[in-house]
Amino acid sequence: MIHRKNKNLQAVNEPEDPTDKIIEQIMNELKSENGETRDFEEEIRQHKIKQRRRVIICIIAVAAVAIAVYLFINLQTYTSARVSDTYAAKGAANNSYTQYAEGVLKYSRDGIAYLNRKGEEQWNQSYQIKNPFVVAGKKSGVVADKGGNDIIVFEESGVKGEIQTTMPIERINVSEQGIVCTILKSDGGAKVMCYDTAGNVLVEHKTSLSGTGYPMDVALSSNGEVLQVLYLYTQDGKITSKIAYYNFGKAGEEKSDHQVSYQEYEDTIMVSGFYMNDSTSVAVGDNRMVIYEGVDVPKQKTEITMDKEIKSVFHNEKYIGLILKNEGKEGYELRLYNKNGSVALTKDFTGDFNNVKICGSQVIMYDGKKCSIFMRSGIQKYDGEMDNNIFEIFPIAGVNKYIVMSASGMEHVRLVK
């Protein structure tokens, strides 16, 4: 079949739909906006990265400056002390002073007072005590009459009670709750007595030279339940020290005389016992030191034999400090042990100091105007003299700042070159 063209026929195009143009325009705009959004987000990200870098650089710079300042302050020895403030104290030259809580205890034969760090009395208690001496813990403390019968129990807020003993007082210790333990001496021997703040007898422990031996020192746990007693026993010219622990709580109810732990040490004179914390207690003798561990039933943890003569013993909750006399050379050795019995510091020094204490990470030694301070790191922070005889000294907040009690009263000083 033959097809012929029809010249009258024409191609017809459909009219353009306006919706398509709108859609196309929207899509183009979206593509454009997405591109701009991505660019904006990238700018933000880069800005944050730059900010972080600046912050890190600033932190590093500040830390470097702080370390440099710290090292500059602590890696040198100061030789002078500049007084910044003085707070006069009435009768300062006739008083004795002991650091306590956030201030200072001032005491004499006529009374005791607690001073804040501006020398202001917070409370005072008058008494007549011939030979006053103070034992101050973190919370509670006592002032007692050495060789007499009077005991005053106090805390930071004031006096808690007064105790009268029936025999002369030889040694004394106090728990954080204010329970007092004493060694009372008589011609026939000695007793270990414990009292509450009202003076009621809690424990009466008789000793004998032929049995327990003579009590040399006592120490109480912080809760007042466990009592450490150091005894000296001699027989046929042989010396033996005994360490006994008595628990007056549940752990000791079934024990004879409440004794829960006991150990003997031959050829040793144990003279100083103390608690470092609730579970760590220590006994130090003329030739050895023993560390005990345990709350209810203390057991020997470490025994350390000393290779030098011990001149003095001091401690805080972290370290046991000893001043040892050097052999074959001049001077002394300062040695610190941690609670595990490991040596934390050893440092030789010259000079005699009758007063040694540890405050935080600083060992402070003083005698008359002379003072020497060693850091836990072994750096000697201070070696010099104060303007007046030092009755008491301890660090306070601030760079190289200390409180010094002297005949002038309370002085705030700063160590300088």
Side-chain angles (χ1 to χ4, degrees):
M1 181 180 286
I2 299 173
H3 293 278
R4 294 183 179 180
K5 281 187 179 181
N6 187 346
K7 294 181 178 180
N8 295 322
L9 293 176
Q10 295 181 356
V12 178
N13 294 326
E14 292 183 7
E16 189 174 351
D17 190 346
T19 305
D20 293 337
K21 287 187 176 182
I22 295 172
I23 291 172
E24 184 180 357
Q25 184 179 356
I26 291 173
M27 292 301 294
N28 290 334
E29 289 178 357
L30 287 174
K31 289 179 181 178
S32 175
E33 288 178 0
N34 286 339
E36 292 176 359
T37 300
R38 285 193 295 270
D39 292 342
F40 183 64
E41 289 176 349
E42 180 64 19
E43 288 181 8
I44 293 175
R45 191 177 72 84
Q46 292 296 329
H47 181 68
K48 286 182 177 179
I49 291 173
K50 290 179 180 178
Q51 278 189 322
R52 290 194 191 102
R53 287 175 180 169
R54 291 193 190 102
V55 170
I56 291 171
I57 291 171
C58 289
I59 291 173
I60 293 173
V62 170
V65 171
I67 292 171
V69 171
Y70 175 83
L71 294 176
F72 176 77
I73 292 173
N74 291 285
L75 293 183
Q76 61 178 314
T77 301
Y78 297 87
T79 55
S80 299
R82 180 182 299 147
V83 178
S84 58
D85 294 292
T86 300
Y87 303 96
K90 184 178 180 180
N94 299 319
N95 294 315
S96 297
Y97 299 90
T98 297
Q99 179 189 358
Y100 172 65
E102 294 299 314
V104 181
L105 292 168
K106 177 185 73 174
Y107 61 98
S108 66
R109 293 184 175 187
D110 301 318
I112 185 170
Y114 177 58
L115 313 179
N116 65 17
R117 294 189 175 184
K118 291 187 177 181
E120 301 166 335
E121 285 192 4
Q122 304 303 290
W123 54 262
N124 65 74
Q125 175 71 32
S126 60
Y127 54 63
Q128 292 296 317
I129 290 181
K130 185 177 180 180
N131 296 305
F133 71 103
V134 166
V135 175
K138 287 184 178 180
K139 295 181 180 179
S140 297
V142 293
V143 55
D145 191 359
K146 181 79 169 181
N149 307 102
D150 297 312
I151 301 171
I152 308 291
V153 187
F154 58 82
E155 57 184 15
E156 191 174 358
S157 61
V159 172
K160 293 182 66 176
E162 300 183 32
I163 301 170
Q164 283 280 326
T165 66
T166 57
M167 297 162 59
I169 300 164
E170 189 169 84
R171 301 297 290 267
I172 194 165
N173 196 257
V174 61
S175 74
E176 299 302 330
Q177 286 74 26
I179 296 172
V180 176
C181 185
T182 65
I183 295 176
L184 303 180
K185 183 181 179 181
S186 68
D187 294 336
K191 284 184 179 181
V192 176
M193 303 282 289
C194 294
Y195 305 86
D196 63 16
T197 55
N200 300 310
V201 176
L202 302 178
V203 175
E204 182 174 357
H205 176 62
K206 295 180 180 180
T207 68
S208 65
L209 296 177
S210 59
T212 59
Y214 192 87
M216 301 294 289
D217 201 7
V218 290
L220 278 169
S221 62
S222 60
N223 62 8
E225 284 191 356
V226 183
L227 170 66
Q228 178 203 62
V229 184
L230 311 184
Y231 299 98
L232 179 63
Y233 178 79
T234 59
Q235 186 177 30
D236 300 328
K238 184 179 179 180
I239 295 175
T240 301
S241 282
K242 303 177 181 180
I243 302 177
Y245 287 86
Y246 305 90
N247 189 312
F248 299 100
K250 290 184 179 180
E253 287 179 352
E254 305 299 325
K255 301 293 184 179
S256 175
D257 204 19
H258 297 272
Q259 183 176 295
V260 292
S261 184
Y262 176 83
Q263 189 72 36
E264 293 187 358
Y265 302 89
E266 294 183 356
D267 300 320
T268 297
I269 302 175
M270 293 290 186
V271 293
S272 178
F274 50 86
Y275 270 84
M276 297 179 70
N277 55 35
D278 292 338
S279 61
T280 305
S281 52
V282 182
V284 182
D286 59 340
N287 57 13
R288 73 183 72 190
M289 177 175 71
V290 186
I291 300 174
Y292 279 73
E293 190 72 26
V295 177
D296 295 323
V297 183
K299 297 293 184 182
Q300 179 180 307
K301 180 180 181 180
T302 306
E303 181 178 351
I304 301 166
T305 302
M306 296 298 160
D307 54 353
K308 297 180 181 180
E309 178 186 342
I310 300 174
K311 181 185 178 185
S312 58
V313 182
F314 51 97
H315 72 93
N316 64 3
E317 66 277 4
K318 289 184 178 181
Y319 301 107
I320 307 157
L322 303 175
I323 300 298
L324 306 169
K325 184 174 177 56
N326 284 332
E327 296 181 3
K329 61 179 180 179
E330 184 183 2
Y332 301 90
E333 178 192 351
L334 164 63
R335 190 183 298 176
L336 293 183
Y337 291 89
N338 62 23
K339 293 182 292 186
N340 295 320
S342 300
V343 176
L345 170 67
T346 176
K347 192 74 175 180
D348 286 340
F349 68 94
T350 57
D352 288 304
F353 299 92
N354 289 324
N355 303 284
V356 185
K357 60 189 296 187
I358 182 168
C359 298
S361 60
Q362 303 183 41
V363 177
I364 303 175
M365 303 181 284
Y366 60 97
D367 191 74
K369 295 181 180 181
K370 296 186 303 178
C371 181
S372 181
I373 301 174
F374 284 93
M375 302 298 292
R376 158 67 182 80
S377 61
I379 299 297
Q380 187 172 22
K381 186 174 185 178
Y382 182 75
D383 183 24
E385 292 190 357
M386 302 290 175
D387 293 338
N388 300 295
N389 287 338
I390 305 166
F391 298 157
E392 175 64 298
I393 178 173
F394 57 93
I396 56 175
V399 178
N400 294 339
K401 295 184 71 175
Y402 294 79
I403 283 180
V404 176
M405 301 303 302
S406 69
S408 298
M410 179 182 290
E411 298 175 334
H412 286 216
V413 306
R414 185 189 297 274
L415 306 184
V416 295
K417 293 293 288 184

